[in-house]
Amino acid sequence: MSDRVCLVHYHEIGLKGKNRSTFENQLVSNLNRALRGYPVERISRISGHILVEVEGGEANDELAHAISRVPGVARVSVAYRCGLDEAEYSQAAVRALAEAGDFATFKVHARRSSTAYEKHTLEMNHIVGEVLCAAFPDKKVEMHHPDVTVIVHAVQGNAFVYTDTGPGVGGLPVGTAGKVVSLFSSGFDSPVATWMVGRRGAITVPVHFSGRPMTSDTSEWLAQDLVGALAPSGVVGRLYVVPFGERQREISLAVPQSLRVIMYRRVMFAVSQEIARAEGALALVTGESLGQVASQTLENIAAVDEIATMPVLRPLIGSDKQEIMRRAQEIGTYDISCQDAPDCCTLFMPRKPETHARIREVHEAWESFDHEAMIADLVENVEYLDFDQCPSYKPPRRLRARHRELAPAIEDNDRWRAFVRRTGEQDQD
């Protein structure tokens, strides 16, 4: 008797050496979190794979899709699991091929991860192929380019039989590559950059600079919704919000108009870096793409980077806008980022921003206002919201007390209550 399970395949993890089990265990932990809404009975490591078993033995495509969105997963197969009995796994192959849809040609590909099984893969191919030819006499065997391939995989006392394998996002399990702080807007670029670094195994901590009180808090809600859209990947543990509008006004009155954006970004980097130190993060992440806007020329990037004392990662630096938007569609952030919201990026913008900043003029503008006091005040008044996404995230010893609840003026409305239900966040103040 066979049941249906999800067989999770990985790629890069398999290239690891003695610490491979660390990566596998982290992936198991991340899958347990990601699949809490499904009737999962057990997630375990088997030879070269992760096995996901469900109550009733009926795994389905919906579960496989949820698994495929977790970083570290290369492919997912909904498979029949049966014993190492020829008749049993041959009949499972018949059922799997019958569910494959329309096809004219097929082949059998047998594998053994368990050398304790006495049958060679060539023998298994012959046994299963003979049964399938009898069951589907109108179909042809094609060894090179078949419409369907039936996989029969013998591993640890079981045979797993499947025909279809869905692609996963790949990468490494979140929690295996340290922690980073991401400068996080409500646009297209920074959520994609955050996801891309998370896909490489890093825990990401987004910092959103809001135009409040000079603008509404709409961008903060969009930032929260974007974090929610990233939930299946489990890359985010906490969202910080920095009310920046009043400080932007001060900067705009103190520095030459053309250098406003560079001063804004230098302050953002400095504040994010302080949060990163409190978090124990080792790098900053931005969504910058070379030459996309005035602040992203090489000269202006260098003028801002001067503030940083830790690495600044720019995973989108060589991407164009169309590539970024396609990736946003893939990860589920596109529709949210399409919504227009006033935020710090649109506040007190110069008519003619500098595109090739001279470092001497940047230094003069930087010294024209009390940037140290401003940075300290912004860090002191940072706000945050925790998300139960990332099992590896641990809150820092500093910045533990919530200074203000996000969007405090609307706690009583329906949208706030719906958000609380959606995230599981409860007000402890």
Side-chain angles (χ1 to χ4, degrees), residues 93 97 103-110 124-126 128-130 132-133 139-152 161-163:
L97 190 55
F103 68 95
T105 60
F106 72 93
K107 78 170 184 178
V108 179
H109 178 63
M124 295 172 66
N125 284 337
H126 179 75
V128 176
E130 191 173 39
L132 292 178
C133 287
K139 309 300 182 182
K140 294 182 179 180
V141 175
E142 170 58 56
M143 298 306 296
H144 298 292
H145 302 288
D147 297 329
V148 180
T149 299
V150 180
I151 309 293
V152 182
V161 183
Y162 53 94
T163 60

Side-chain angles (χ1 to χ4, degrees), residues 247 271 274 370-382:
R247 299 307 187 185
V271 171
E274 288 302 308
D370 192 351
H371 54 267
E372 292 183 358
M374 179 181 292
I375 291 162
D377 181 72
L378 288 169
V379 173
E380 178 64 25
N381 290 284
V382 69

Side-chain angles (χ1 to χ4, degrees), residues 174 178-182 184 193-199 201-206 230 234-239 285 389-390 393:
V174 177
K179 185 189 291 186
V180 298
V181 161
S182 170
F184 196 81
T194 298
W195 179 86
M196 290 181 71
V197 175
R199 177 176 171 266
I203 300 166
T204 63
V205 181
L230 294 175
V235 300
V236 175
R238 169 177 285 189
L239 168 69
V285 177
Q389 285 192 19
C390 181
Y393 177 76

Side-chain angles (χ1 to χ4, degrees), residues 280-410:
L282 299 178
L284 301 180
V285 177
T286 78
E288 291 165 307
S289 172
L290 187 61
Q292 184 170 249
V293 294
S295 65
Q296 295 173 17
T297 63
L298 280 178
E299 292 89 344
N300 290 1
I301 287 174
V304 175
D305 266 8
E306 187 185 38
I307 290 298
T309 59
M310 59 178 59
V312 181
L313 309 180
R314 295 180 171 89
L316 305 181
I317 196 68
S319 301
D320 63 33
K321 199 68 175 183
Q322 294 304 312
E323 291 173 316
I324 296 168
M325 291 170 72
R326 282 196 297 271
R327 180 56 65 88
Q329 290 176 319
E330 292 172 7
I331 66 176
T333 60
Y334 178 87
D335 290 339
I336 301 169
S337 296
C338 279
Q339 300 177 52
D340 189 27
D343 62 7
C344 71
C345 296
T346 59
L347 191 60
F348 303 117
M349 292 297 290
R351 289 188 297 274
K352 293 183 178 180
E354 179 62 67
T355 56
H356 302 287
R358 297 175 178 85
I359 200 67
R360 179 181 58 79
E361 295 174 355
V362 170
H363 288 168
E364 290 174 357
W366 186 242
E367 296 302 327
S368 68
F369 64 99
D370 192 351
H371 54 267
E372 292 183 358
M374 179 181 292
I375 291 162
D377 181 72
L378 288 169
V379 173
E380 178 64 25
N381 290 284
V382 69
E383 305 168 7
Y384 73 84
L385 188 65
D386 283 327
F387 292 83
D388 187 18
Q389 285 192 19
C390 181
S392 300
Y393 177 76
K394 301 295 185 294
R397 293 182 179 181
R398 289 176 57 199
L399 305 175
R400 277 185 172 176
R402 180 182 294 116
H403 293 279
R404 295 172 60 189
E405 188 63 79
L406 295 186
I410 57 173

Side-chain angles (χ1 to χ4, degrees), residues 162-235:
Y162 53 94
T163 60
D164 187 35
T165 297
V169 297
L172 296 170
V174 177
T176 59
K179 185 189 291 186
V180 298
V181 161
S182 170
L183 280 75
F184 196 81
S185 74
S186 59
F188 293 103
D189 302 346
S190 56
V192 172
T194 298
W195 179 86
M196 290 181 71
V197 175
R199 177 176 171 266
R200 297 306 308 161
I203 300 166
T204 63
V205 181
V207 178
H208 177 73
F209 288 84
S210 169
R212 176 159 54 93
M214 311 305 290
T215 68
S216 69
D217 57 11
T218 308
S219 71
E220 299 170 34
W221 285 104
L222 293 181
Q224 294 174 49
D225 289 344
L226 286 165
V227 171
L230 294 175
S233 61
V235 300

